[in-house]
């Protein structure tokens, strides 16, 4: 990661919108196909096909050797789960799906957590509140605010529910690289952070746990799980700071926001 925040021109933001809209329509397609009995590998295949037919390249595939197009993380898995024919979704599971696309030299990145059939009220609430924390973060992406105002928006809302905010993984700038400065934590470290300027594009991604904030990485070297094995939720959007307010590049058509 270089150190400088790279501001994007309006025409570059348009390219990022194209990438992010492939991400968005792919996540919608995956969501429509999540049901008990489906493997995470099947969802991965579906996503890759949908992406490539629009001219996009799945951004995670081969990234530091990651084998899938999607990151698919079930229940206590937080992020970076590997698609597998052996992982079959069951009623009551939750599935976090993270997807990235590259096209015309720019990246898109977004994630949603999807209930499989009926889930408990406790888990449904975790999903609802994690998504809402992302929306508060987006509202904080105004010119004049700083990156930590975005972080604090997540933290202030989430801490009221007593959930664990994952600290080991954070959001990021995005553009012609998948990960660019600045880091966008989901908590406030007390450190000074950059001001938000028009042309900044951030991937904001709260990872929120029912229990402890502590996580660990499985032996596969990728899958991050909660230390207490309680359920985790993850929502992410790529958002541009503009003179007219935050522009959610990865907004899904079915999204009421
Ligand atoms: Mg992502
Ligand atoms: Mg991301």
């Amino acid at each position: 990661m270089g150190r400088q925040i790279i501001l994007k021109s309006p025409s570059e933001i348009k390219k990022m919108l194209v990438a992010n809209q492939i991400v968005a329509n792919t996540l919608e397609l995956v969501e429509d196909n999540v049901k008990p009995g489906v493997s995470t590998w099947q969802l991965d295949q579906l996503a890759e096909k949908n992406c490539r037919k629009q001219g996009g390249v799945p951004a995670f595939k081969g990234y530091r050797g990651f084998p899938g197009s999607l990151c698919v993380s079930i229940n206590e898995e937080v992020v970076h789960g590997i698609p597998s024919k052996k992982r079959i979704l069951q009623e009551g599971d939750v599935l976090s799906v993270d997807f990235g696309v590259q096209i015309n030299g720019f990246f898109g990145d977004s994630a949603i957590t999807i209930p499989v059939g009926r889930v408990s009220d406790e888990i449904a609430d975790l999903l609802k509140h994690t998504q809402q924390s992302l929306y508060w973060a987006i509202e904080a992406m105004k010119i004049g605010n700083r990156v930590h105002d975005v972080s604090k928006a997540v933290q202030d809302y989430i801490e009221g529910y007593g959930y664990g905010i994952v600290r080991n993984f954070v959001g990021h700038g995005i553009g012609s690289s998948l990960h660019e400065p600045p880091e966008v934590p989901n908590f406030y470290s007390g450190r000074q952070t950059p001001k938000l300027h028009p042309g900044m594009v951030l991937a904001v991604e709260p990872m929120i746990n029912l229990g402890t904030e502590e996580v660990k990485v499985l032996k596969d070297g990728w899958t991050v799980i909660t230390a207490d094995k309680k359920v985790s939720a993850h929502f992410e959007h790529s958002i541009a700071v503009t003179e007219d307010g935050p522009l959610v590049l990865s907004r899904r058509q079915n999204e009421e926001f």
Side-chain angles (χ1 to χ4, degrees):
M1 214 189 246
R3 294 170 106 118
Q4 291 286 79
I5 296 175
I6 302 161
L7 300 180
K8 281 81 187 177
S9 68
S11 73
E12 290 172 328
I13 288 175
K14 272 188 196 146
K15 288 182 182 177
M16 294 194 70
L17 181 63
V18 171
N20 275 288
Q21 282 301 301
I22 299 174
V23 176
N25 68 44
T26 303
L27 290 177
E28 283 186 310
L29 178 68
V30 170
E31 188 171 27
D32 288 344
N33 283 276
V34 161
K35 54 180 186 244
V38 169
S39 76
T40 56
W41 181 84
Q42 286 173 288
L43 297 173
D44 185 73
Q45 296 298 298
L46 206 59
E48 180 167 357
K49 267 189 203 141
N50 185 65
C51 172
R52 291 198 191 277
K53 83 173 186 215
Q54 296 173 81
V57 176
F60 303 160
K61 195 162 194 172
Y63 182 85
R64 297 183 182 168
F66 187 79
S69 291
L70 295 178
C71 291
V72 276
S73 308
I74 301 173
N75 296 337
E76 75 275 12
E77 296 170 358
V78 179
V79 287
H80 304 164
I82 298 170
S84 165
K85 289 179 180 173
K86 292 180 194 156
R87 298 303 301 277
I88 312 292
L89 299 178
Q90 315 226 358
E91 178 88 20
D93 284 345
V94 291
L95 177 70
S96 295
V97 181
D98 194 346
F99 191 47
V101 168
Q102 183 185 25
I103 183 168
N104 295 327
F106 285 89
F107 285 87
D109 188 8
S110 180
I112 52 174
T113 300
I114 305 162
V116 183
R118 274 193 71 87
V119 299
S120 70
D121 289 348
E122 188 184 41
I123 290 173
D125 283 348
L126 174 72
L127 268 47
K128 186 175 77 180
H129 293 139
T130 303
Q131 186 168 36
Q132 183 60 46
S133 76
L134 173 58
Y135 292 155
W136 288 124
I138 293 167
E139 294 226 334
M141 285 184 61
K142 294 176 200 149
I143 295 162
N145 271 356
R146 291 180 180 269
V147 170
H148 68 249
D149 292 306
V150 179
S151 305
K152 275 167 65 73
V154 173
Q155 183 174 28
D156 290 349
Y157 179 74
I158 285 300
E159 284 188 341
Y161 294 99
Y163 299 135
I165 299 174
V166 173
R167 286 166 189 264
N168 292 16
F169 297 88
V170 297
H172 50 94
I174 180 167
S176 56
S177 303
L178 182 57
H179 298 113
E180 293 182 358
E183 290 194 340
V184 187
N186 297 300
F187 57 92
Y188 180 41
S189 67
R191 259 180 282 154
Q192 184 63 287
T193 59
K195 266 192 184 158
L196 301 181
H197 289 289
M200 274 178 77
V201 184
L202 304 179
V204 181
E205 46 181 318
M207 289 153 259
I208 308 297
N209 301 343
L210 258 190
T212 179
E213 69 192 43
E214 298 299 329
V215 297
K216 56 186 187 182
V217 180
L218 293 184
K219 280 187 191 143
D220 64 18
W222 282 105
T223 314
V224 177
I225 66 164
T226 56
D228 60 8
K229 305 275 182 79
K230 289 187 179 172
V231 169
S232 184
H234 180 208
F235 285 85
E236 176 180 27
H237 270 311
S238 294
I239 308 122
V241 178
T242 79
E243 303 278 4
D244 303 323
L247 176 63
V248 182
L249 302 173
S250 51
R251 191 175 182 282
R252 297 177 303 285
Q253 285 196 326
N254 68 3
E255 200 170 359
E256 293 167 32
F257 161 72

